[in-house]
PDB file of all heavy atoms in Angstrom:
ATOM      1  N   VAL T   1       0.845  -1.202   0.000  1.00 97.00           N
ATOM      2  CA  VAL T   1       0.000   0.000   0.000  1.00 97.00           C
ATOM      3  C   VAL T   1       0.877   1.248   0.000  1.00 97.00           C
ATOM      4  O   VAL T   1       0.610   2.222  -0.719  1.00 97.00           O
ATOM      5  CB  VAL T   1      -0.945  -0.009   1.221  1.00 97.00           C
ATOM      6  CG1 VAL T   1      -1.678   1.319   1.337  1.00 97.00           C
ATOM      7  CG2 VAL T   1      -1.948  -1.160   1.101  1.00 97.00           C
ATOM      8  N   ALA T   2       1.947   1.228   0.790  1.00 96.00           N
ATOM      9  CA  ALA T   2       2.867   2.371   0.841  1.00 96.00           C
ATOM     10  C   ALA T   2       3.569   2.578  -0.496  1.00 96.00           C
ATOM     11  O   ALA T   2       3.780   3.719  -0.925  1.00 96.00           O
ATOM     12  CB  ALA T   2       3.891   2.153   1.951  1.00 96.00           C
ATOM     13  N   LEU T   3       3.915   1.488  -1.162  1.00 97.00           N
ATOM     14  CA  LEU T   3       4.581   1.591  -2.466  1.00 97.00           C
ATOM     15  C   LEU T   3       3.647   2.213  -3.499  1.00 97.00           C
ATOM     16  O   LEU T   3       4.073   3.054  -4.301  1.00 97.00           O
ATOM     17  CB  LEU T   3       5.038   0.209  -2.931  1.00 97.00           C
ATOM     18  CG  LEU T   3       5.791   0.160  -4.266  1.00 97.00           C
ATOM     19  CD1 LEU T   3       7.081   0.973  -4.192  1.00 97.00           C
ATOM     20  CD2 LEU T   3       6.088  -1.288  -4.654  1.00 97.00           C
ATOM     21  N   PHE T   4       2.379   1.815  -3.484  1.00 97.00           N
ATOM     22  CA  PHE T   4       1.422   2.445  -4.388  1.00 97.00           C
ATOM     23  C   PHE T   4       1.338   3.948  -4.113  1.00 97.00           C
ATOM     24  O   PHE T   4       1.297   4.758  -5.038  1.00 97.00           O
ATOM     25  CB  PHE T   4       0.044   1.799  -4.247  1.00 97.00           C
ATOM     26  CG  PHE T   4      -0.154   0.568  -5.081  1.00 97.00           C
ATOM     27  CD1 PHE T   4      -0.560  -0.635  -4.501  1.00 97.00           C
ATOM     28  CD2 PHE T   4       0.053   0.600  -6.450  1.00 97.00           C
ATOM     29  CE1 PHE T   4      -0.750  -1.762  -5.276  1.00 97.00           C
ATOM     30  CE2 PHE T   4      -0.131  -0.533  -7.228  1.00 97.00           C
ATOM     31  CZ  PHE T   4      -0.529  -1.719  -6.648  1.00 97.00           C
ATOM     32  N   ALA T   5       1.303   4.323  -2.850  1.00 97.00           N
ATOM     33  CA  ALA T   5       1.225   5.739  -2.504  1.00 97.00           C
ATOM     34  C   ALA T   5       2.429   6.514  -3.039  1.00 97.00           C
ATOM     35  O   ALA T   5       2.293   7.642  -3.526  1.00 97.00           O
ATOM     36  CB  ALA T   5       1.125   5.895  -0.981  1.00 97.00           C
ATOM     37  N   GLN T   6       3.604   5.897  -2.976  1.00 97.00           N
ATOM     38  CA  GLN T   6       4.804   6.537  -3.513  1.00 97.00           C
ATOM     39  C   GLN T   6       4.708   6.749  -5.019  1.00 97.00           C
ATOM     40  O   GLN T   6       5.351   7.645  -5.561  1.00 97.00           O
ATOM     41  CB  GLN T   6       6.037   5.688  -3.195  1.00 97.00           C
ATOM     42  CG  GLN T   6       6.392   5.632  -1.722  1.00 97.00           C
ATOM     43  CD  GLN T   6       7.468   4.613  -1.426  1.00 97.00           C
ATOM     44  OE1 GLN T   6       8.178   4.147  -2.326  1.00 97.00           O
ATOM     45  NE2 GLN T   6       7.593   4.243  -0.155  1.00 97.00           N
ATOM     46  N   ASN T   7       3.906   5.932  -5.674  1.00 96.00           N
ATOM     47  CA  ASN T   7       3.708   6.038  -7.113  1.00 96.00           C
ATOM     48  C   ASN T   7       2.458   6.842  -7.472  1.00 96.00           C
ATOM     49  O   ASN T   7       1.997   6.802  -8.612  1.00 96.00           O
ATOM     50  CB  ASN T   7       3.626   4.648  -7.746  1.00 96.00           C
ATOM     51  CG  ASN T   7       4.974   3.981  -7.874  1.00 96.00           C
ATOM     52  OD1 ASN T   7       5.729   4.240  -8.814  1.00 96.00           O
ATOM     53  ND2 ASN T   7       5.307   3.115  -6.919  1.00 96.00           N
ATOM     54  N   GLY T   8       1.894   7.557  -6.500  1.00 97.00           N
ATOM     55  CA  GLY T   8       0.747   8.411  -6.768  1.00 97.00           C
ATOM     56  C   GLY T   8      -0.565   7.678  -6.893  1.00 97.00           C
ATOM     57  O   GLY T   8      -1.519   8.200  -7.479  1.00 97.00           O
ATOM     58  N   ILE T   9      -0.651   6.475  -6.323  1.00 98.00           N
ATOM     59  CA  ILE T   9      -1.869   5.664  -6.400  1.00 98.00           C
ATOM     60  C   ILE T   9      -2.375   5.412  -4.981  1.00 98.00           C
ATOM     61  O   ILE T   9      -1.665   4.855  -4.149  1.00 98.00           O
ATOM     62  CB  ILE T   9      -1.601   4.328  -7.107  1.00 98.00           C
ATOM     63  CG1 ILE T   9      -1.125   4.590  -8.547  1.00 98.00           C
ATOM     64  CG2 ILE T   9      -2.849   3.449  -7.106  1.00 98.00           C
ATOM     65  CD1 ILE T   9      -0.476   3.390  -9.198  1.00 98.00           C
ATOM     66  N   GLU T  10      -3.607   5.827  -4.718  1.00 98.00           N
ATOM     67  CA  GLU T  10      -4.186   5.700  -3.384  1.00 98.00           C
ATOM     68  C   GLU T  10      -5.034   4.428  -3.296  1.00 98.00           C
ATOM     69  O   GLU T  10      -5.873   4.166  -4.154  1.00 98.00           O
ATOM     70  CB  GLU T  10      -5.053   6.914  -3.075  1.00 98.00           C
ATOM     71  CG  GLU T  10      -5.670   6.890  -1.689  1.00 98.00           C
ATOM     72  CD  GLU T  10      -6.558   8.095  -1.421  1.00 98.00           C
ATOM     73  OE1 GLU T  10      -6.757   8.912  -2.355  1.00 98.00           O
ATOM     74  OE2 GLU T  10      -7.076   8.213  -0.295  1.00 98.00           O
ATOM     75  N   VAL T  11      -4.797   3.639  -2.264  1.00 98.00           N
ATOM     76  CA  VAL T  11      -5.611   2.453  -2.008  1.00 98.00           C
ATOM     77  C   VAL T  11      -6.776   2.877  -1.118  1.00 98.00           C
ATOM     78  O   VAL T  11      -6.615   3.113   0.076  1.00 98.00           O
ATOM     79  CB  VAL T  11      -4.788   1.347  -1.332  1.00 98.00           C
ATOM     80  CG1 VAL T  11      -5.684   0.147  -1.011  1.00 98.00           C
ATOM     81  CG2 VAL T  11      -3.632   0.913  -2.230  1.00 98.00           C
ATOM     82  N   LEU T  12      -7.969   2.985  -1.715  1.00 98.00           N
ATOM     83  CA  LEU T  12      -9.151   3.432  -0.984  1.00 98.00           C
ATOM     84  C   LEU T  12      -9.803   2.316  -0.182  1.00 98.00           C
ATOM     85  O   LEU T  12     -10.450   2.571   0.842  1.00 98.00           O
ATOM     86  CB  LEU T  12     -10.184   4.009  -1.954  1.00 98.00           C
ATOM     87  CG  LEU T  12      -9.840   5.313  -2.661  1.00 98.00           C
ATOM     88  CD1 LEU T  12     -11.010   5.749  -3.531  1.00 98.00           C
ATOM     89  CD2 LEU T  12      -9.491   6.404  -1.659  1.00 98.00           C
ATOM     90  N   ALA T  13      -9.672   1.094  -0.663  1.00 97.00           N
ATOM     91  CA  ALA T  13     -10.272  -0.053   0.015  1.00 97.00           C
ATOM     92  C   ALA T  13      -9.336  -1.237  -0.132  1.00 97.00           C
ATOM     93  O   ALA T  13      -8.719  -1.424  -1.186  1.00 97.00           O
ATOM     94  CB  ALA T  13     -11.642  -0.380  -0.581  1.00 97.00           C
ATOM     95  N   GLU T  14      -9.221  -2.011   0.925  1.00 96.00           N
ATOM     96  CA  GLU T  14      -8.281  -3.132   0.903  1.00 96.00           C
ATOM     97  C   GLU T  14      -8.845  -4.299   1.691  1.00 96.00           C
ATOM     98  O   GLU T  14      -9.449  -4.116   2.755  1.00 96.00           O
ATOM     99  CB  GLU T  14      -6.936  -2.684   1.481  1.00 96.00           C
ATOM    100  CG  GLU T  14      -5.861  -3.755   1.478  1.00 96.00           C
ATOM    101  CD  GLU T  14      -5.780  -4.507   2.794  1.00 96.00           C
ATOM    102  OE1 GLU T  14      -5.943  -3.868   3.844  1.00 96.00           O
ATOM    103  OE2 GLU T  14      -5.582  -5.741   2.769  1.00 96.00           O
ATOM    104  N   ALA T  15      -8.691  -5.501   1.153  1.00 96.00           N
ATOM    105  CA  ALA T  15      -9.093  -6.711   1.867  1.00 96.00           C
ATOM    106  C   ALA T  15      -8.123  -7.824   1.520  1.00 96.00           C
ATOM    107  O   ALA T  15      -7.591  -7.880   0.408  1.00 96.00           O
ATOM    108  CB  ALA T  15     -10.524  -7.121   1.504  1.00 96.00           C
ATOM    109  N   SER T  16      -7.901  -8.709   2.479  1.00 97.00           N
ATOM    110  CA  SER T  16      -6.932  -9.782   2.292  1.00 97.00           C
ATOM    111  C   SER T  16      -7.498 -11.102   2.787  1.00 97.00           C
ATOM    112  O   SER T  16      -8.311 -11.145   3.717  1.00 97.00           O
ATOM    113  CB  SER T  16      -5.639  -9.458   3.051  1.00 97.00           C
ATOM    114  OG  SER T  16      -4.760 -10.569   3.044  1.00 97.00           O
ATOM    115  N   PHE T  17      -7.025 -12.194   2.174  1.00 97.00           N
ATOM    116  CA  PHE T  17      -7.370 -13.524   2.651  1.00 97.00           C
ATOM    117  C   PHE T  17      -6.510 -13.916   3.857  1.00 97.00           C
ATOM    118  O   PHE T  17      -6.739 -14.959   4.469  1.00 97.00           O
ATOM    119  CB  PHE T  17      -7.204 -14.548   1.528  1.00 97.00           C
ATOM    120  CG  PHE T  17      -8.140 -14.327   0.369  1.00 97.00           C
ATOM    121  CD1 PHE T  17      -7.646 -13.955  -0.875  1.00 97.00           C
ATOM    122  CD2 PHE T  17      -9.506 -14.471   0.521  1.00 97.00           C
ATOM    123  CE1 PHE T  17      -8.496 -13.739  -1.944  1.00 97.00           C
ATOM    124  CE2 PHE T  17     -10.373 -14.265  -0.543  1.00 97.00           C
ATOM    125  CZ  PHE T  17      -9.864 -13.890  -1.789  1.00 97.00           C
ATOM    126  N   GLY T  18      -5.504 -13.099   4.168  1.00 95.00           N
ATOM    127  CA  GLY T  18      -4.723 -13.271   5.383  1.00 95.00           C
ATOM    128  C   GLY T  18      -3.872 -14.523   5.435  1.00 95.00           C
ATOM    129  O   GLY T  18      -3.697 -15.110   6.512  1.00 95.00           O
ATOM    130  N   GLN T  19      -3.307 -14.917   4.288  1.00 93.00           N
ATOM    131  CA  GLN T  19      -2.543 -16.159   4.227  1.00 93.00           C
ATOM    132  C   GLN T  19      -1.039 -15.886   4.084  1.00 93.00           C
ATOM    133  O   GLN T  19      -0.625 -15.049   3.291  1.00 93.00           O
ATOM    134  CB  GLN T  19      -3.014 -17.015   3.055  1.00 93.00           C
ATOM    135  CG  GLN T  19      -4.458 -17.446   3.141  1.00 93.00           C
ATOM    136  CD  GLN T  19      -4.731 -18.239   4.396  1.00 93.00           C
ATOM    137  OE1 GLN T  19      -4.040 -19.223   4.690  1.00 93.00           O
ATOM    138  NE2 GLN T  19      -5.751 -17.827   5.140  1.00 93.00           N
ATOM    139  N   SER T  20      -0.239 -16.623   4.829  1.00 89.00           N
ATOM    140  CA  SER T  20       1.211 -16.539   4.683  1.00 89.00           C
ATOM    141  C   SER T  20       1.780 -17.790   4.024  1.00 89.00           C
ATOM    142  O   SER T  20       2.989 -17.884   3.800  1.00 89.00           O
ATOM    143  CB  SER T  20       1.874 -16.355   6.056  1.00 89.00           C
ATOM    144  OG  SER T  20       1.620 -17.475   6.885  1.00 89.00           O
ATOM    145  N   GLU T  21       0.931 -18.745   3.705  1.00 90.00           N
ATOM    146  CA  GLU T  21       1.345 -20.015   3.124  1.00 90.00           C
ATOM    147  C   GLU T  21       1.033 -20.027   1.627  1.00 90.00           C
ATOM    148  O   GLU T  21      -0.124 -20.007   1.213  1.00 90.00           O
ATOM    149  CB  GLU T  21       0.606 -21.159   3.830  1.00 90.00           C
ATOM    150  CG  GLU T  21       0.737 -22.521   3.192  1.00 90.00           C
ATOM    151  CD  GLU T  21       2.178 -22.986   3.099  1.00 90.00           C
ATOM    152  OE1 GLU T  21       2.826 -23.159   4.139  1.00 90.00           O
ATOM    153  OE2 GLU T  21       2.652 -23.183   1.964  1.00 90.00           O
ATOM    154  N   ASP T  22       2.088 -20.053   0.793  1.00 92.00           N
ATOM    155  CA  ASP T  22       1.903 -19.915  -0.647  1.00 92.00           C
ATOM    156  C   ASP T  22       1.159 -21.092  -1.265  1.00 92.00           C
ATOM    157  O   ASP T  22       0.450 -20.935  -2.251  1.00 92.00           O
ATOM    158  CB  ASP T  22       3.253 -19.729  -1.338  1.00 92.00           C
ATOM    159  CG  ASP T  22       3.153 -18.862  -2.588  1.00 92.00           C
ATOM    160  OD1 ASP T  22       2.162 -18.109  -2.717  1.00 92.00           O
ATOM    161  OD2 ASP T  22       4.064 -18.924  -3.436  1.00 92.00           O
ATOM    162  N   TRP T  23       1.312 -22.277  -0.694  1.00 92.00           N
ATOM    163  CA  TRP T  23       0.572 -23.422  -1.223  1.00 92.00           C
ATOM    164  C   TRP T  23      -0.933 -23.212  -1.063  1.00 92.00           C
ATOM    165  O   TRP T  23      -1.723 -23.648  -1.905  1.00 92.00           O
ATOM    166  CB  TRP T  23       1.007 -24.707  -0.497  1.00 92.00           C
ATOM    167  CG  TRP T  23       2.448 -25.074  -0.687  1.00 92.00           C
ATOM    168  CD1 TRP T  23       3.418 -25.087   0.274  1.00 92.00           C
ATOM    169  CD2 TRP T  23       3.078 -25.480  -1.900  1.00 92.00           C
ATOM    170  NE1 TRP T  23       4.620 -25.466  -0.260  1.00 92.00           N
ATOM    171  CE2 TRP T  23       4.440 -25.716  -1.607  1.00 92.00           C
ATOM    172  CE3 TRP T  23       2.657 -25.662  -3.212  1.00 92.00           C
ATOM    173  CZ2 TRP T  23       5.368 -26.128  -2.557  1.00 92.00           C
ATOM    174  CZ3 TRP T  23       3.576 -26.075  -4.173  1.00 92.00           C
ATOM    175  CH2 TRP T  23       4.900 -26.300  -3.842  1.00 92.00           C
ATOM    176  N   THR T  24      -1.333 -22.553  -0.002  1.00 95.00           N
ATOM    177  CA  THR T  24      -2.749 -22.248   0.207  1.00 95.00           C
ATOM    178  C   THR T  24      -3.225 -21.200  -0.796  1.00 95.00           C
ATOM    179  O   THR T  24      -4.317 -21.324  -1.372  1.00 95.00           O
ATOM    180  CB  THR T  24      -2.987 -21.741   1.648  1.00 95.00           C
ATOM    181  OG1 THR T  24      -2.566 -22.733   2.570  1.00 95.00           O
ATOM    182  CG2 THR T  24      -4.462 -21.424   1.878  1.00 95.00           C
ATOM    183  N   VAL T  25      -2.416 -20.184  -1.008  1.00 96.00           N
ATOM    184  CA  VAL T  25      -2.792 -19.099  -1.924  1.00 96.00           C
ATOM    185  C   VAL T  25      -3.108 -19.636  -3.311  1.00 96.00           C
ATOM    186  O   VAL T  25      -4.086 -19.228  -3.960  1.00 96.00           O
ATOM    187  CB  VAL T  25      -1.672 -18.040  -1.996  1.00 96.00           C
ATOM    188  CG1 VAL T  25      -1.990 -16.997  -3.066  1.00 96.00           C
ATOM    189  CG2 VAL T  25      -1.481 -17.370  -0.644  1.00 96.00           C
ATOM    190  N   GLY T  26      -2.308 -20.574  -3.789  1.00 96.00           N
ATOM    191  CA  GLY T  26      -2.506 -21.118  -5.127  1.00 96.00           C
ATOM    192  C   GLY T  26      -3.792 -21.894  -5.295  1.00 96.00           C
ATOM    193  O   GLY T  26      -4.210 -22.177  -6.419  1.00 96.00           O
ATOM    194  N   ARG T  27      -4.458 -22.234  -4.185  1.00 97.00           N
ATOM    195  CA  ARG T  27      -5.704 -23.002  -4.246  1.00 97.00           C
ATOM    196  C   ARG T  27      -6.928 -22.171  -3.887  1.00 97.00           C
ATOM    197  O   ARG T  27      -8.046 -22.701  -3.841  1.00 97.00           O
ATOM    198  CB  ARG T  27      -5.601 -24.234  -3.339  1.00 97.00           C
ATOM    199  CG  ARG T  27      -4.516 -25.216  -3.742  1.00 97.00           C
ATOM    200  CD  ARG T  27      -4.679 -26.561  -3.045  1.00 97.00           C
ATOM    201  NE  ARG T  27      -4.635 -26.419  -1.591  1.00 97.00           N
ATOM    202  CZ  ARG T  27      -3.521 -26.408  -0.857  1.00 97.00           C
ATOM    203  NH1 ARG T  27      -2.343 -26.504  -1.454  1.00 97.00           N
ATOM    204  NH2 ARG T  27      -3.580 -26.306   0.456  1.00 97.00           N
TER     205      ARG T  27
END
């Protein structure tokens, strides 16, 4: 989100699946 802001892009809404396990993300 901070990187987008540095590039002039504002994140107005954000949601995450809250996963730190990449095998889960792929499914």
Side-chain angles (χ1 to χ4, degrees):
V1 172
L3 182 61
F4 275 125
Q6 292 171 16
N7 284 278
I9 299 164
E10 182 181 4
V11 177
L12 292 182
E14 182 265 322
S16 172
F17 296 113
Q19 298 301 307
S20 63
E21 170 59 62
D22 211 20
W23 297 114
T24 301
V25 173
R27 298 194 301 274

